[in-house]
Amino acid sequence: MLGAIICKAAAVYVAGATTAQQRDVALLLSLVADPIEMATDVRPKDRQRLRAIDALADPNHPVWDDLTEDDAIRARLAYQTLVKQQQ
């Protein structure tokens, strides 16, 4: 799952921040069962790719409209957890 999220985030960065691409990332993030556990596998370069799509940190971004409120909250939490530097 992490690989899919990072690949899609990289595609958003390369192709430009299209809403359709960002929606794909949001959907994948909503499927993360344990973002804290997943974050242990995130490399610095992966974190950089995720941070490049920082528009997803905005709870009012249109990508969240396609998800249920619970899924959008879970996805934003996963995003915030994955981009956070691990101690």
Side-chain angles (χ1 to χ4, degrees), residues 13-47:
Y13 179 74
V14 170
T18 67
T19 302
Q21 295 277 5
Q22 290 173 333
R23 280 191 174 109
D24 291 344
V25 177
L27 176 62
L28 290 169
L29 287 167
S30 75
L31 301 174
V32 175
D34 187 350
I36 294 171
E37 175 66 30
M38 184 179 280
T40 62
D41 295 327
V42 178
R43 297 181 191 145
K45 187 70 173 175
D46 298 337
R47 213 168 263 114

Side-chain angles (χ1 to χ4, degrees), residues 25-74:
V25 177
L27 176 62
L28 290 169
L29 287 167
S30 75
L31 301 174
V32 175
D34 187 350
I36 294 171
E37 175 66 30
M38 184 179 280
T40 62
D41 295 327
V42 178
R43 297 181 191 145
K45 187 70 173 175
D46 298 337
R47 213 168 263 114
Q48 180 183 352
R49 288 182 177 115
L50 287 167
R51 286 185 183 131
I53 53 171
D54 63 347
L56 295 184
D58 178 2
N60 297 313
H61 194 285
V63 298
W64 306 121
D65 296 341
D66 290 344
L67 300 175
T68 66
E69 185 176 348
D70 288 344
D71 287 347
I73 290 169
R74 184 173 35 260

Side-chain angles (χ1 to χ4, degrees), residues 4-18:
I5 292 168
I6 300 304
C7 285
K8 190 50 100 166
V12 169
Y13 179 74
V14 170
T18 67

